[in-house]
Amino acid sequence: MEFFVLEHKRLWRTPRVWICVLLCFIYCVGWGGLLSYQWFDFGTPDDPTKGIYGNKFDGYSAIRNWQELADSFGDYWTDETLPEMVETYRSMQPDAHLQSGADWVLALEYLRDLYPELEDPEDQPFQPLMLYADTSKMDDFYGRRAELLEFTLETTRQNEGMTQADKDMLLEMNSQIEEPWRYEWVHGWDEVTNNLSWAIEHLAPYLAIALAFVFSGEWHNNTAPVLHTTKYGWKKLARVKIMSGLAFAVELYLLVIGCHVALQLIYLGTDGWDMPIQFMNLLAVAPWNMLQAELYHLAFGFLGVIGYAGLVMLMSALVKNNVLALVYSLAFIYVPDILTRFLPNWLKALSQYFPLVGSSFDYLTYNVFHIFGKGIWSPWMLITVPFLIGIVCIPFAVRGWARRQRV
């Protein structure tokens, strides 16, 4: 334990590491967290020509206004909720400040998907659907959704290789969704999950910069003569370095994501945690609420950074050159995205299981992975496979570095 503490302090005291952590905090928490909530994501519009950066610095008060507006539509989504939202939109249409963060996009999506017959492009060629759709015909919301879901899954089964067993499994999941849906301000939770996903995705380059030199740096600094005198042995020293690197990855994750969760509680509170995720994707089949979705994002990130840290340290152990170790580590993150248009579908799907590469929003899709003929819902694979990749990399990193040191 004492050896681990010494090595971990050594890692943190490296100028490259603490500068990297500082920059990560400023970018992922300051820019992508605090300023996102207070300014460009939730601030009310002031100068439309500047896009989101033309918003006012009033996110906290704006969020309260939008929450109050959502509360006025009731606690549950019924057949009366959508018509009421449309009528309210029409009465408040000139007030762009209040509309910018409200759930009007949600209402428009439901109109287009569930009530396409209300759209009249010939008689209303320049009018938004929300302004002229007949609210008296917006009925049977849940029945229409069920029909659209059945049609979508059947189309997917016929065109994209989904089996009947996959379809039945997804419909069974969907049958567990309670109706009517609990409703509060949806846009806020949508942004919360987007911010978490963004922050997790942007941890990768900072982890690579901090951990790619854990082993290769010893070669770069020519410390082999000193390491040859160690009383702990090569393998124990390598294990301590691995554990120190994994601990750093977890600490960086907790620092960044913990601050995001704290900002969420300050700005949005806990209202709406029990809304179903179907508000983020009308045809999602997972019987989860917003809190469960957020916990999935947190698990995806936590297990992903551990898996990625193991992969980075394997590259560091196998390559003596610091630059190559860093380039190889970053390649696992960015090359699949760069080459995605040129990869066959099976290889594209396989690349999503690299640590921190896949989407943490996969629970909104119908992706099913098959192992020995048995279908497994893809989100479970996306949080376990990257973690297992990192764990498998650890013994190879230990052996690879110890073997190089003995040479």
Side-chain angles (χ1 to χ4, degrees), residues 108-116 129 144 148 282-283:
L108 181 58
E109 175 190 343
Y110 290 172
L111 279 178
R112 289 174 175 171
D113 291 345
L114 301 182
Y115 306 95
L129 179 60
R144 284 176 176 256
L148 180 60
L282 177 64
L283 299 183

Side-chain angles (χ1 to χ4, degrees), residues 12 21 24-25 28-29 195-204 206-207 211 245-261 293-307 309 356 360 383:
W12 269 100
V21 171
C24 179
F25 185 84
C28 292
V29 177
N195 283 354
L196 279 177
S197 179
W198 179 89
I200 290 169
E201 176 186 345
H202 285 80
L203 284 176
Y206 298 101
L207 286 172
L211 299 180
L246 293 177
F248 170 83
V250 171
E251 290 161 356
L252 182 62
Y253 170 82
L254 293 178
L255 173 66
V256 172
I257 303 304
C259 289
H260 269 266
V261 173
E294 182 173 6
L295 291 175
Y296 179 84
H297 283 277
L298 296 177
F300 177 91
F302 181 77
L303 297 176
V305 298
I306 293 177
L356 299 182
S360 57
I383 63 173

Side-chain angles (χ1 to χ4, degrees), residues 122-404:
E122 294 184 0
D123 292 342
Q124 305 284 350
F126 304 109
Q127 290 291 326
L129 179 60
M130 290 274 284
L131 292 181
Y132 68 82
D134 186 351
T135 56
S136 65
K137 297 180 180 179
M138 300 175 191
D139 58 354
D140 193 22
F141 177 87
Y142 294 104
R144 284 176 176 256
R145 176 190 174 271
E147 293 177 1
L148 180 60
L149 176 61
E150 173 68 29
F151 173 78
T152 302
L153 289 178
E154 181 60 25
T155 302
T156 303
R157 186 186 70 83
Q158 295 178 3
N159 300 333
E160 299 183 19
M162 177 187 291
T163 66
Q164 183 62 42
D166 295 339
K167 177 184 174 182
D168 293 340
M169 178 184 69
L170 296 172
L171 287 175
E172 172 61 26
M173 293 172 60
N174 179 75
S175 68
Q176 300 175 37
I177 301 172
E178 296 182 1
E179 298 176 359
W181 299 344
R182 184 80 168 83
Y183 172 72
E184 290 191 39
W185 184 44
V186 175
H187 179 73
W189 278 92
D190 195 25
E191 289 296 333
V192 163
T193 50
N194 280 323
N195 283 354
L196 279 177
S197 179
W198 179 89
I200 290 169
E201 176 186 345
H202 285 80
L203 284 176
Y206 298 101
L207 286 172
I209 293 171
L211 299 180
F213 307 145
V214 166
F215 292 112
S216 64
E218 302 292 358
W219 294 99
H220 179 77
N221 297 328
N222 197 27
T223 58
V226 177
L227 293 175
H228 277 296
T229 65
T230 179
K231 64 179 180 179
Y232 296 104
W234 293 112
K235 287 189 176 181
K236 184 172 182 180
L237 179 58
R239 293 191 189 102
V240 167
K241 285 181 172 293
I242 290 287
M243 296 307 297
S244 175
L246 293 177
F248 170 83
V250 171
E251 290 161 356
L252 182 62
Y253 170 82
L254 293 178
L255 173 66
V256 172
I257 303 304
C259 289
H260 269 266
V261 173
L263 287 170
Q264 171 195 343
L265 294 175
I266 293 171
Y267 278 87
L268 274 76
T270 59
D271 294 345
W273 68 268
D274 52 350
M275 290 189 298
I277 62 171
Q278 282 64 37
F279 281 121
M280 291 193 288
N281 183 343
L282 177 64
L283 299 183
V285 296
W288 291 2
N289 58 37
M290 295 294 185
L291 178 59
Q292 291 171 313
E294 182 173 6
L295 291 175
Y296 179 84
H297 283 277
L298 296 177
F300 177 91
F302 181 77
L303 297 176
V305 298
I306 293 177
Y308 186 64
L311 190 61
V312 171
M313 287 186 285
L314 174 61
M315 295 298 101
S316 181
L318 297 180
V319 181
K320 292 184 178 182
N321 186 286
N322 282 343
V323 175
L324 285 180
L326 177 60
V327 169
Y328 291 159
S329 300
L330 293 174
F332 283 102
I333 295 295
Y334 296 111
V335 169
D337 186 52
I338 294 173
L339 299 180
T340 185
R341 293 180 297 174
F342 310 103
L343 297 176
N345 289 335
W346 68 270
L347 189 55
K348 186 187 304 182
L350 188 63
S351 69
Q352 298 304 300
Y353 293 96
F354 286 141
L356 299 182
V357 172
S359 171
S360 57
F361 284 100
D362 203 57
Y363 57 83
L364 298 176
T365 69
Y366 312 129
N367 296 327
V368 178
F369 193 88
H370 295 92
I371 299 180
F372 302 115
K374 181 175 178 57
I376 300 176
W377 192 39
S378 181
W380 301 131
M381 299 288 292
L382 282 174
I383 63 173
T384 54
V385 172
F387 174 74
L388 293 176
I389 289 176
I391 297 302
V392 169
C393 287
I394 290 176
F396 289 99
V398 171
R399 293 177 184 177
W401 188 69
R403 183 175 63 250
R404 284 175 172 269

Side-chain angles (χ1 to χ4, degrees), residues 12-29:
W12 269 100
R13 288 172 179 171
T14 305
R16 180 192 71 258
V17 172
W18 59 260
I19 291 175
C20 180
V21 171
L22 178 62
L23 293 175
C24 179
F25 185 84
I26 293 173
Y27 182 58
C28 292
V29 177

Side-chain angles (χ1 to χ4, degrees), residues 66 69 85 97-106 183 185 187:
W66 294 324
L69 177 61
M85 289 184 70
H97 291 262
L98 192 58
Q99 292 178 30
S100 59
D103 288 334
W104 308 134
V105 173
L106 183 76
Y183 172 72
W185 184 44
H187 179 73

